[in-house]
Amino acid sequence: MAGKLVGFFFITIAAIIALLLILLVVFGVLAGVLAPFLGSVPVSYNFRSIRARWTSTIVAVLGIAGTVGVFVAMLSLARGFKATLVASGSPGNALVMRAGSSSEMMGGITLDSIKVLQDAPGIARDASGRPLLTQDVVGVIPVPLITTGTDANVQVRGVSPNVLEIRKFVKITKGRMFQSGLNELVVGKNAANTYRGLTVGNKIDFAGGHWQVVGEFDAGGSAFDSEVWCDSQIFNQVLQRPADVFQSATVHLASPATFQEFKDAVTSDPRMNVDVYREIDYYAKQSTTMTRLITVLGGLVAFIMAIGAIFGALNTMYSAVAERGREIATMRAVGFSTWNVILSFLFEALLISLLGGLIGCLAVLPLNGLTTSTMNFQTFSNVAFAFKITFDLLLMGVLFALVMGVLGGLLPAIRAAVQPVSVALREL
Amino acid sequence: MVNVDGSGGKGGLIQVRDLDKTYRRGGEEIHVLQGLNLDVSAGEFVAFMGPSGSGKTTLLNLLGGLDVPTRGSINVAGDEITHMSAGKLTEWRARHVGFIFQMYNLIPVLTAFQNVELPLLLTKLSKAERRTHVETALSIVGLTDRMNHFPRQLSGGQEQRVTIARAIVSDPTFLLCDEPTGDLDRKSADEVMALLEELVGSHHKTVLMVTHDPLVAARAHTILHLDKGVLVEGSKFPNSIPAGGVA
Amino acid sequence: MKFARIIWANLLRKKVRLLLTIGSFAVALFLFVFLAVVRDAFNRGADVASADRLVVINRTSIINPIPLSYRDKILRIPGVKAVTHNNWFGGIYIEEKNFFPQFVIDPENQRTVFSELVVPDDQWKAFLNDRQGAIAGAKLAERFHWKIGDRIPIKTTFYGGASWEFNLVGIYHGNKPQSDETQFWLQWDYFEEKVPERDKGRIGWYVLRIDNPDDAPRISQAIDDEFANSPFETKTQAESAFAANWVKQFGNIQRLIVSIGVVVFFTLLLVTGNTMAISVRERTSELAVFKAIGYSDRSVLFFVLAEALTIALIGGLLGMLLAIVAVPGLAAALNGLLPSIVLAPKMLAFGLVVAIFTGFLSGFLPGMNAMHLRIVNALRRV
């Protein structure tokens, strides 16, 4: 009981401190940004003083730039990974798996169940009235990486031949779609760039069979871009799995609104024991582990670097105050108030950190779209994804820089303003 | 004995012959010292005077081995310092010269004691031996009770006296002072000058001093003027104050 | 060290600045060590792999099973000392985010092949006597505060979704600091009894111990030849190769970490170098006085370097202390995502070297400037 009270006490204190810090930062940023308008110390003074101590300024700028760069890069890595997996899937599709399976690989749906699904309400149908449904079988197959030559696990997905009508965001960009009943493969654009031998026209052996790569597809930046697709019945044969058992089924809904109708009908049917997800929700779940890993690691790194950068900024600003002792004293002797001196310094700190933030953002911008691949723990397969730098991420980076600037500039600014003028003048 | 015409012969403590020093400034050559001569015996108290830019400080720097002449020779206690390498010159300074500058003499983060001890750290003396020397020097300048104070806790005059203590602690061959009272008020200046006189009178030190203040210069035994690159004796110079001071 | 007082007094000249610079060093070194730890965690498998162990997986796909019947054939190959088999259970303990690796093991041969994972004899006996007995790694047990005698329910995902219950009868410890102590072991007999008919007799992979590490290529080839053209073709590799390939699949993580490390290093150098430079600039007249009274040019360089190195060492040691304190917390935050996170002494040593090197570099230029300072210029009256 006492322990809980103490804990509560500490949390409250921490919350208060955090709140104060936030207020301080907000105030600082506002004050600094409005300084040219609010304060009477001319802005040209700041520019001149920056130019006069340009080496120190460059140091502070680069320190902040480095931190912001790493911050934005790491967040964009996590974003990119998440985006890839989240983009996998359309809200107009529903995924059906055996009840209780946490991923497709663990699922099992029989052909009988598939037939029941095909009659369920809410499914879209093609011109001839056939239900738009693909029954999938997934496996991981070792294929050498182009980069290291060693094997990595590529996700191979056996699908129904009409899969392109269900996953409408996938388009064949080279060659053609595979033909039903043949050992033919189409490869996602990222898979083609990551693994050896996945080029159109190439013959490749895997899973104990001879295959031909007949086409390449673009899946709009989703996880499917890292996959290789083939006919699911052929894949079942090759993997020596029972011919009438698949791992999941994905249906194209008549409209995204019919999802609930479809789900209710299917889950209440006593002939099957399945779970139904919107395709998009399923894939979001599949990325949680890796996203969390990258976010936690990246966040920690950025946080630590930020502290270092704040120290650096503090150092520079304190030196600025020290080296300009006489100027400050003169300014105050001449009549500029404490408030104005603080504003002036805050503005300068913000200027420096803004510059650092912008440089940091610019420096990592080239990374945008750069693909890298890693293994997704949850599926054991390799997923290629790209750094995804969005405008809001850049904005966060710049804001981060400003916060560092305020934290680094406020204390020295106060010190400069508060020191008695006589003391300052005497320290010449 | 002090002599400026080069006729001092051997035997003086300090012997300067034909000293030239030329600077290059903004593309022009400035001949600060031209063929300067000087002889000073041990135990002398000499003041150098001259208008701004005449080269007084330059001369002092050369005599103290802080700079090298363009031409000429400087001989101190038998050592020809113009032939010494930078490293040797540094060692020579440590052993033979005590410096008293106008300001920035003391290290602000060290106490008076530690400041005075600085030259001794270059020697092989033990800690106890160093302590003895420092205490002696501080007692000569009358600041034993301020041993553990920091420079910012001392007055200007006291700071200079600590500087003098540091200058004499390793028993150098001679003392060089560059405007030692320049930053001080009249009373402190008097204290410092009295101390210098005592060092010369009771302790037989040799002191060479640069100053622009005639009243300070008057406390020396000899006044030399630096004019057109050479030294001229005081009595021949119309602007000097007679030895008796001003009414 | 009679000059220690001067060096220390100079450092204390501006206390705030000293603290900030030490702080920067501490933070940077902490980050360094942190990155080294993470990099090491990714490489973990490769580090603890044994030279005398081989791993046999299904050649078609790692997730495809291999028949149990292959075991005897493998044992008959000359040079094979012992063979054990594992299955990946992949169940859920309460919630998905409590993930930890669960292996179905072969109790008869487990201890011979994985001799570095140690279970006290009495616990092992209890394990053998209870089909539903389970053994957990020390770190795993600590994570969930399990005690011997606890009942652990695990919901299967592959085999129908029911919850299987296990009795925790033992806890294993690894005898190397980097050993994986996060595994959960259940028994083959119980597993085989409960799985559906079509999954019986199927294991995930074999791990074997061979007499002589040099025999690895020959034995690997022999095994793969034996089962070539069968419905379950095999791929046999040395454990180290297997682990290394696993790590390579994480791709550019290494490069990413190294680049961050480099950015940190240069930023640190920049900040501390600048601080030293400012500190030297403030003291030109004092340094000139030192030289005037007889301190050599080199001694002045020495003073500046000594100051820089002192800051670096204090900051560096502080940073490493922070790392030692924080790494366990980090391990908790990354629960289950990476294998055990360990702070090895060699990382601390590396950190120290980096600190000293950076300190030296940051003091070098300002020190050289101080060394070349011309006395007469510095003392020229304002």
PDB file of all heavy atoms in Angstrom, chain C residues 93 100 134-148 150 152 168 170-173 181-184 335:
ATOM      1  N   TYR C  93       1.225 -17.644 -25.351  1.00  0.00           N
ATOM      2  CA  TYR C  93       1.077 -17.670 -23.895  1.00  0.00           C
ATOM      3  C   TYR C  93       0.274 -16.445 -23.497  1.00  0.00           C
ATOM      4  O   TYR C  93       0.771 -15.320 -23.502  1.00  0.00           O
ATOM      5  CB  TYR C  93       2.451 -17.670 -23.225  1.00  0.00           C
ATOM      6  CG  TYR C  93       2.408 -17.540 -21.720  1.00  0.00           C
ATOM      7  CD1 TYR C  93       1.810 -18.508 -20.931  1.00  0.00           C
ATOM      8  CD2 TYR C  93       2.971 -16.420 -21.085  1.00  0.00           C
ATOM      9  CE1 TYR C  93       1.766 -18.381 -19.560  1.00  0.00           C
ATOM     10  CE2 TYR C  93       2.936 -16.296 -19.704  1.00  0.00           C
ATOM     11  CZ  TYR C  93       2.325 -17.283 -18.952  1.00  0.00           C
ATOM     12  OH  TYR C  93       2.300 -17.159 -17.589  1.00  0.00           O
ATOM     13  N   PHE C 100       7.656 -15.956 -26.969  1.00  0.00           N
ATOM     14  CA  PHE C 100       8.962 -16.534 -26.684  1.00  0.00           C
ATOM     15  C   PHE C 100       9.051 -17.840 -27.479  1.00  0.00           C
ATOM     16  O   PHE C 100       8.034 -18.437 -27.819  1.00  0.00           O
ATOM     17  CB  PHE C 100       9.164 -16.779 -25.180  1.00  0.00           C
ATOM     18  CG  PHE C 100       8.091 -17.595 -24.515  1.00  0.00           C
ATOM     19  CD1 PHE C 100       8.140 -18.980 -24.511  1.00  0.00           C
ATOM     20  CD2 PHE C 100       7.033 -16.959 -23.873  1.00  0.00           C
ATOM     21  CE1 PHE C 100       7.139 -19.730 -23.888  1.00  0.00           C
ATOM     22  CE2 PHE C 100       6.033 -17.699 -23.249  1.00  0.00           C
ATOM     23  CZ  PHE C 100       6.085 -19.091 -23.263  1.00  0.00           C
ATOM     24  N   ALA C 134       7.630 -29.362 -18.441  1.00  0.00           N
ATOM     25  CA  ALA C 134       8.273 -28.393 -19.329  1.00  0.00           C
ATOM     26  C   ALA C 134       9.454 -27.759 -18.606  1.00  0.00           C
ATOM     27  O   ALA C 134       9.480 -27.696 -17.377  1.00  0.00           O
ATOM     28  CB  ALA C 134       7.286 -27.307 -19.744  1.00  0.00           C
ATOM     29  N   ILE C 135      10.418 -27.314 -19.388  1.00  0.00           N
ATOM     30  CA  ILE C 135      11.585 -26.623 -18.814  1.00  0.00           C
ATOM     31  C   ILE C 135      11.702 -25.251 -19.468  1.00  0.00           C
ATOM     32  O   ILE C 135      11.543 -25.126 -20.681  1.00  0.00           O
ATOM     33  CB  ILE C 135      12.876 -27.429 -19.047  1.00  0.00           C
ATOM     34  CG1 ILE C 135      12.789 -28.763 -18.332  1.00  0.00           C
ATOM     35  CG2 ILE C 135      14.086 -26.641 -18.585  1.00  0.00           C
ATOM     36  CD1 ILE C 135      14.055 -29.583 -18.420  1.00  0.00           C
ATOM     37  N   ALA C 136      11.961 -24.235 -18.651  1.00  0.00           N
ATOM     38  CA  ALA C 136      12.077 -22.882 -19.193  1.00  0.00           C
ATOM     39  C   ALA C 136      13.488 -22.349 -18.954  1.00  0.00           C
ATOM     40  O   ALA C 136      14.144 -22.721 -17.987  1.00  0.00           O
ATOM     41  CB  ALA C 136      11.059 -21.965 -18.522  1.00  0.00           C
ATOM     42  N   GLY C 137      13.944 -21.496 -19.823  1.00  0.00           N
ATOM     43  CA  GLY C 137      15.244 -20.853 -19.647  1.00  0.00           C
ATOM     44  C   GLY C 137      15.156 -19.856 -18.511  1.00  0.00           C
ATOM     45  O   GLY C 137      14.089 -19.318 -18.207  1.00  0.00           O
ATOM     46  N   ALA C 138      16.288 -19.592 -17.871  1.00  0.00           N
ATOM     47  CA  ALA C 138      16.304 -18.736 -16.685  1.00  0.00           C
ATOM     48  C   ALA C 138      15.730 -17.355 -16.967  1.00  0.00           C
ATOM     49  O   ALA C 138      14.961 -16.804 -16.192  1.00  0.00           O
ATOM     50  CB  ALA C 138      17.729 -18.628 -16.149  1.00  0.00           C
ATOM     51  N   LYS C 139      16.106 -16.754 -18.101  1.00  0.00           N
ATOM     52  CA  LYS C 139      15.621 -15.408 -18.398  1.00  0.00           C
ATOM     53  C   LYS C 139      14.126 -15.407 -18.669  1.00  0.00           C
ATOM     54  O   LYS C 139      13.418 -14.460 -18.328  1.00  0.00           O
ATOM     55  CB  LYS C 139      16.349 -14.841 -19.615  1.00  0.00           C
ATOM     56  CG  LYS C 139      17.792 -14.508 -19.348  1.00  0.00           C
ATOM     57  CD  LYS C 139      18.204 -13.194 -20.046  1.00  0.00           C
ATOM     58  CE  LYS C 139      19.622 -12.795 -19.664  1.00  0.00           C
ATOM     59  NZ  LYS C 139      20.652 -13.663 -20.298  1.00  0.00           N
ATOM     60  N   LEU C 140      13.640 -16.488 -19.260  1.00  0.00           N
ATOM     61  CA  LEU C 140      12.212 -16.578 -19.555  1.00  0.00           C
ATOM     62  C   LEU C 140      11.428 -16.663 -18.255  1.00  0.00           C
ATOM     63  O   LEU C 140      10.424 -15.975 -18.074  1.00  0.00           O
ATOM     64  CB  LEU C 140      11.952 -17.810 -20.429  1.00  0.00           C
ATOM     65  CG  LEU C 140      10.498 -18.104 -20.766  1.00  0.00           C
ATOM     66  CD1 LEU C 140       9.920 -16.957 -21.582  1.00  0.00           C
ATOM     67  CD2 LEU C 140      10.381 -19.402 -21.548  1.00  0.00           C
ATOM     68  N   ALA C 141      11.896 -17.543 -17.360  1.00  0.00           N
ATOM     69  CA  ALA C 141      11.219 -17.708 -16.081  1.00  0.00           C
ATOM     70  C   ALA C 141      11.197 -16.394 -15.311  1.00  0.00           C
ATOM     71  O   ALA C 141      10.203 -16.018 -14.707  1.00  0.00           O
ATOM     72  CB  ALA C 141      11.928 -18.784 -15.266  1.00  0.00           C
ATOM     73  N   GLU C 142      12.310 -15.658 -15.413  1.00  0.00           N
ATOM     74  CA  GLU C 142      12.397 -14.381 -14.708  1.00  0.00           C
ATOM     75  C   GLU C 142      11.403 -13.389 -15.276  1.00  0.00           C
ATOM     76  O   GLU C 142      10.760 -12.640 -14.554  1.00  0.00           O
ATOM     77  CB  GLU C 142      13.812 -13.848 -14.927  1.00  0.00           C
ATOM     78  CG  GLU C 142      14.317 -12.909 -13.875  1.00  0.00           C
ATOM     79  CD  GLU C 142      15.714 -12.438 -14.251  1.00  0.00           C
ATOM     80  OE1 GLU C 142      16.617 -13.294 -14.307  1.00  0.00           O
ATOM     81  OE2 GLU C 142      15.870 -11.236 -14.510  1.00  0.00           O
ATOM     82  N   ARG C 143      11.261 -13.413 -16.595  1.00  0.00           N
ATOM     83  CA  ARG C 143      10.393 -12.445 -17.261  1.00  0.00           C
ATOM     84  C   ARG C 143       8.960 -12.576 -16.776  1.00  0.00           C
ATOM     85  O   ARG C 143       8.266 -11.586 -16.573  1.00  0.00           O
ATOM     86  CB  ARG C 143      10.487 -12.679 -18.765  1.00  0.00           C
ATOM     87  CG  ARG C 143       9.613 -11.777 -19.588  1.00  0.00           C
ATOM     88  CD  ARG C 143       9.859 -12.053 -21.061  1.00  0.00           C
ATOM     89  NE  ARG C 143       8.777 -11.517 -21.869  1.00  0.00           N
ATOM     90  CZ  ARG C 143       8.539 -11.879 -23.125  1.00  0.00           C
ATOM     91  NH1 ARG C 143       9.305 -12.798 -23.690  1.00  0.00           N
ATOM     92  NH2 ARG C 143       7.560 -11.343 -23.800  1.00  0.00           N
ATOM     93  N   PHE C 144       8.506 -13.818 -16.626  1.00  0.00           N
ATOM     94  CA  PHE C 144       7.107 -14.000 -16.229  1.00  0.00           C
ATOM     95  C   PHE C 144       6.971 -14.404 -14.772  1.00  0.00           C
ATOM     96  O   PHE C 144       5.885 -14.781 -14.335  1.00  0.00           O
ATOM     97  CB  PHE C 144       6.444 -15.061 -17.124  1.00  0.00           C
ATOM     98  CG  PHE C 144       6.317 -14.630 -18.552  1.00  0.00           C
ATOM     99  CD1 PHE C 144       7.069 -15.233 -19.545  1.00  0.00           C
ATOM    100  CD2 PHE C 144       5.454 -13.602 -18.899  1.00  0.00           C
ATOM    101  CE1 PHE C 144       6.957 -14.824 -20.873  1.00  0.00           C
ATOM    102  CE2 PHE C 144       5.324 -13.201 -20.223  1.00  0.00           C
ATOM    103  CZ  PHE C 144       6.086 -13.804 -21.208  1.00  0.00           C
ATOM    104  N   HIS C 145       8.065 -14.343 -14.038  1.00  0.00           N
ATOM    105  CA  HIS C 145       8.058 -14.698 -12.613  1.00  0.00           C
ATOM    106  C   HIS C 145       7.534 -16.103 -12.376  1.00  0.00           C
ATOM    107  O   HIS C 145       6.730 -16.343 -11.479  1.00  0.00           O
ATOM    108  CB  HIS C 145       7.220 -13.685 -11.816  1.00  0.00           C
ATOM    109  CG  HIS C 145       7.593 -12.279 -12.103  1.00  0.00           C
ATOM    110  ND1 HIS C 145       8.839 -11.753 -11.768  1.00  0.00           N
ATOM    111  CD2 HIS C 145       6.944 -11.288 -12.734  1.00  0.00           C
ATOM    112  CE1 HIS C 145       8.903 -10.498 -12.177  1.00  0.00           C
ATOM    113  NE2 HIS C 145       7.760 -10.191 -12.771  1.00  0.00           N
ATOM    114  N   TRP C 146       7.977 -17.024 -13.237  1.00  0.00           N
ATOM    115  CA  TRP C 146       7.539 -18.412 -13.056  1.00  0.00           C
ATOM    116  C   TRP C 146       8.359 -19.094 -11.976  1.00  0.00           C
ATOM    117  O   TRP C 146       9.548 -18.785 -11.790  1.00  0.00           O
ATOM    118  CB  TRP C 146       7.720 -19.198 -14.366  1.00  0.00           C
ATOM    119  CG  TRP C 146       6.749 -18.855 -15.431  1.00  0.00           C
ATOM    120  CD1 TRP C 146       5.564 -18.215 -15.295  1.00  0.00           C
ATOM    121  CD2 TRP C 146       6.906 -19.133 -16.812  1.00  0.00           C
ATOM    122  NE1 TRP C 146       4.953 -18.094 -16.510  1.00  0.00           N
ATOM    123  CE2 TRP C 146       5.755 -18.647 -17.470  1.00  0.00           C
ATOM    124  CE3 TRP C 146       7.877 -19.769 -17.588  1.00  0.00           C
ATOM    125  CZ2 TRP C 146       5.565 -18.773 -18.845  1.00  0.00           C
ATOM    126  CZ3 TRP C 146       7.685 -19.881 -18.942  1.00  0.00           C
ATOM    127  CH2 TRP C 146       6.525 -19.382 -19.564  1.00  0.00           C
ATOM    128  N   LYS C 147       7.723 -20.037 -11.286  1.00  0.00           N
ATOM    129  CA  LYS C 147       8.458 -20.845 -10.296  1.00  0.00           C
ATOM    130  C   LYS C 147       8.244 -22.300 -10.664  1.00  0.00           C
ATOM    131  O   LYS C 147       7.227 -22.649 -11.284  1.00  0.00           O
ATOM    132  CB  LYS C 147       7.900 -20.619  -8.881  1.00  0.00           C
ATOM    133  CG  LYS C 147       8.097 -19.215  -8.345  1.00  0.00           C
ATOM    134  CD  LYS C 147       7.559 -19.059  -6.917  1.00  0.00           C
ATOM    135  CE  LYS C 147       6.170 -19.623  -6.705  1.00  0.00           C
ATOM    136  NZ  LYS C 147       5.128 -19.000  -7.543  1.00  0.00           N
ATOM    137  N   ILE C 148       9.145 -23.143 -10.183  1.00  0.00           N
ATOM    138  CA  ILE C 148       8.955 -24.586 -10.405  1.00  0.00           C
ATOM    139  C   ILE C 148       7.630 -24.970  -9.751  1.00  0.00           C
ATOM    140  O   ILE C 148       7.355 -24.616  -8.615  1.00  0.00           O
ATOM    141  CB  ILE C 148      10.100 -25.379  -9.756  1.00  0.00           C
ATOM    142  CG1 ILE C 148      11.434 -24.820 -10.242  1.00  0.00           C
ATOM    143  CG2 ILE C 148       9.929 -26.857 -10.001  1.00  0.00           C
ATOM    144  CD1 ILE C 148      12.174 -25.695 -11.183  1.00  0.00           C
ATOM    145  N   ASP C 150       4.706 -24.269 -11.315  1.00  0.00           N
ATOM    146  CA  ASP C 150       3.641 -23.499 -11.968  1.00  0.00           C
ATOM    147  C   ASP C 150       3.045 -24.292 -13.123  1.00  0.00           C
ATOM    148  O   ASP C 150       3.715 -25.106 -13.748  1.00  0.00           O
ATOM    149  CB  ASP C 150       4.200 -22.179 -12.524  1.00  0.00           C
ATOM    150  CG  ASP C 150       4.386 -21.145 -11.432  1.00  0.00           C
ATOM    151  OD1 ASP C 150       3.931 -21.391 -10.298  1.00  0.00           O
ATOM    152  OD2 ASP C 150       4.999 -20.096 -11.721  1.00  0.00           O
ATOM    153  N   ILE C 152       1.643 -23.945 -16.788  1.00  0.00           N
ATOM    154  CA  ILE C 152       1.770 -22.973 -17.882  1.00  0.00           C
ATOM    155  C   ILE C 152       0.845 -23.379 -19.027  1.00  0.00           C
ATOM    156  O   ILE C 152       1.048 -24.426 -19.647  1.00  0.00           O
ATOM    157  CB  ILE C 152       3.218 -22.926 -18.417  1.00  0.00           C
ATOM    158  CG1 ILE C 152       4.226 -22.931 -17.286  1.00  0.00           C
ATOM    159  CG2 ILE C 152       3.395 -21.762 -19.371  1.00  0.00           C
ATOM    160  CD1 ILE C 152       4.410 -21.630 -16.587  1.00  0.00           C
ATOM    161  N   LEU C 168       5.735 -26.683 -15.071  1.00  0.00           N
ATOM    162  CA  LEU C 168       7.114 -26.245 -15.100  1.00  0.00           C
ATOM    163  C   LEU C 168       7.908 -27.021 -14.061  1.00  0.00           C
ATOM    164  O   LEU C 168       7.710 -26.842 -12.859  1.00  0.00           O
ATOM    165  CB  LEU C 168       7.187 -24.738 -14.800  1.00  0.00           C
ATOM    166  CG  LEU C 168       8.567 -24.125 -15.042  1.00  0.00           C
ATOM    167  CD1 LEU C 168       8.906 -24.176 -16.520  1.00  0.00           C
ATOM    168  CD2 LEU C 168       8.599 -22.683 -14.545  1.00  0.00           C
ATOM    169  N   GLY C 170      11.454 -27.552 -14.449  1.00  0.00           N
ATOM    170  CA  GLY C 170      12.883 -27.262 -14.421  1.00  0.00           C
ATOM    171  C   GLY C 170      13.213 -25.935 -15.062  1.00  0.00           C
ATOM    172  O   GLY C 170      12.426 -25.381 -15.840  1.00  0.00           O
ATOM    173  N   ILE C 171      14.380 -25.437 -14.709  1.00  0.00           N
ATOM    174  CA  ILE C 171      14.877 -24.195 -15.300  1.00  0.00           C
ATOM    175  C   ILE C 171      16.303 -24.426 -15.774  1.00  0.00           C
ATOM    176  O   ILE C 171      17.129 -24.932 -15.013  1.00  0.00           O
ATOM    177  CB  ILE C 171      14.841 -23.048 -14.277  1.00  0.00           C
ATOM    178  CG1 ILE C 171      13.386 -22.773 -13.891  1.00  0.00           C
ATOM    179  CG2 ILE C 171      15.498 -21.790 -14.845  1.00  0.00           C
ATOM    180  CD1 ILE C 171      13.191 -21.560 -13.049  1.00  0.00           C
ATOM    181  N   TYR C 172      16.589 -24.075 -17.035  1.00  0.00           N
ATOM    182  CA  TYR C 172      17.955 -24.287 -17.520  1.00  0.00           C
ATOM    183  C   TYR C 172      18.728 -22.980 -17.540  1.00  0.00           C
ATOM    184  O   TYR C 172      18.170 -21.905 -17.682  1.00  0.00           O
ATOM    185  CB  TYR C 172      17.955 -24.953 -18.908  1.00  0.00           C
ATOM    186  CG  TYR C 172      17.646 -24.036 -20.075  1.00  0.00           C
ATOM    187  CD1 TYR C 172      18.639 -23.202 -20.630  1.00  0.00           C
ATOM    188  CD2 TYR C 172      16.375 -24.019 -20.654  1.00  0.00           C
ATOM    189  CE1 TYR C 172      18.353 -22.380 -21.707  1.00  0.00           C
ATOM    190  CE2 TYR C 172      16.101 -23.199 -21.737  1.00  0.00           C
ATOM    191  CZ  TYR C 172      17.078 -22.387 -22.256  1.00  0.00           C
ATOM    192  OH  TYR C 172      16.801 -21.563 -23.324  1.00  0.00           O
ATOM    193  N   HIS C 173      20.062 -23.138 -17.381  1.00  0.00           N
ATOM    194  CA  HIS C 173      20.984 -21.992 -17.479  1.00  0.00           C
ATOM    195  C   HIS C 173      21.994 -22.283 -18.568  1.00  0.00           C
ATOM    196  O   HIS C 173      22.414 -23.412 -18.743  1.00  0.00           O
ATOM    197  CB  HIS C 173      21.749 -21.799 -16.168  1.00  0.00           C
ATOM    198  CG  HIS C 173      20.879 -21.355 -15.051  1.00  0.00           C
ATOM    199  ND1 HIS C 173      20.707 -20.040 -14.718  1.00  0.00           N
ATOM    200  CD2 HIS C 173      20.105 -22.057 -14.196  1.00  0.00           C
ATOM    201  CE1 HIS C 173      19.872 -19.944 -13.684  1.00  0.00           C
ATOM    202  NE2 HIS C 173      19.501 -21.155 -13.355  1.00  0.00           N
ATOM    203  N   GLU C 181      18.731 -17.932 -23.021  1.00  0.00           N
ATOM    204  CA  GLU C 181      18.004 -18.501 -21.892  1.00  0.00           C
ATOM    205  C   GLU C 181      16.530 -18.126 -21.965  1.00  0.00           C
ATOM    206  O   GLU C 181      15.866 -17.922 -20.955  1.00  0.00           O
ATOM    207  CB  GLU C 181      18.616 -18.001 -20.572  1.00  0.00           C
ATOM    208  CG  GLU C 181      19.970 -18.612 -20.283  1.00  0.00           C
ATOM    209  CD  GLU C 181      20.579 -18.104 -18.983  1.00  0.00           C
ATOM    210  OE1 GLU C 181      20.054 -17.116 -18.437  1.00  0.00           O
ATOM    211  OE2 GLU C 181      21.562 -18.684 -18.528  1.00  0.00           O
ATOM    212  N   THR C 182      16.011 -17.978 -23.206  1.00  0.00           N
ATOM    213  CA  THR C 182      14.614 -17.570 -23.327  1.00  0.00           C
ATOM    214  C   THR C 182      13.726 -18.661 -23.911  1.00  0.00           C
ATOM    215  O   THR C 182      12.596 -18.405 -24.289  1.00  0.00           O
ATOM    216  CB  THR C 182      14.502 -16.326 -24.236  1.00  0.00           C
ATOM    217  OG1 THR C 182      14.904 -16.707 -25.564  1.00  0.00           O
ATOM    218  CG2 THR C 182      15.384 -15.201 -23.766  1.00  0.00           C
ATOM    219  N   GLN C 183      14.244 -19.884 -23.980  1.00  0.00           N
ATOM    220  CA  GLN C 183      13.470 -20.949 -24.624  1.00  0.00           C
ATOM    221  C   GLN C 183      12.557 -21.670 -23.646  1.00  0.00           C
ATOM    222  O   GLN C 183      12.792 -21.696 -22.449  1.00  0.00           O
ATOM    223  CB  GLN C 183      14.413 -21.968 -25.253  1.00  0.00           C
ATOM    224  CG  GLN C 183      15.318 -21.400 -26.308  1.00  0.00           C
ATOM    225  CD  GLN C 183      16.345 -22.421 -26.758  1.00  0.00           C
ATOM    226  OE1 GLN C 183      16.179 -23.615 -26.520  1.00  0.00           O
ATOM    227  NE2 GLN C 183      17.390 -21.940 -27.401  1.00  0.00           N
ATOM    228  N   PHE C 184      11.543 -22.310 -24.234  1.00  0.00           N
ATOM    229  CA  PHE C 184      10.589 -23.129 -23.476  1.00  0.00           C
ATOM    230  C   PHE C 184      10.608 -24.517 -24.099  1.00  0.00           C
ATOM    231  O   PHE C 184      10.408 -24.657 -25.299  1.00  0.00           O
ATOM    232  CB  PHE C 184       9.200 -22.487 -23.579  1.00  0.00           C
ATOM    233  CG  PHE C 184       8.150 -23.155 -22.741  1.00  0.00           C
ATOM    234  CD1 PHE C 184       8.011 -22.821 -21.394  1.00  0.00           C
ATOM    235  CD2 PHE C 184       7.295 -24.091 -23.300  1.00  0.00           C
ATOM    236  CE1 PHE C 184       7.028 -23.429 -20.624  1.00  0.00           C
ATOM    237  CE2 PHE C 184       6.316 -24.692 -22.527  1.00  0.00           C
ATOM    238  CZ  PHE C 184       6.179 -24.365 -21.188  1.00  0.00           C
ATOM    239  N   ASN C 335      11.509  -6.919 -25.014  1.00  0.00           N
ATOM    240  CA  ASN C 335      11.122  -8.280 -24.612  1.00  0.00           C
ATOM    241  C   ASN C 335      10.718  -9.177 -25.744  1.00  0.00           C
ATOM    242  O   ASN C 335       9.749  -8.936 -26.439  1.00  0.00           O
ATOM    243  CB  ASN C 335       9.943  -8.183 -23.646  1.00  0.00           C
ATOM    244  CG  ASN C 335      10.349  -8.709 -22.315  1.00  0.00           C
ATOM    245  OD1 ASN C 335      11.261  -9.514 -22.220  1.00  0.00           O
ATOM    246  ND2 ASN C 335       9.678  -8.247 -21.285  1.00  0.00           N
TER     247      ASN C 335
END
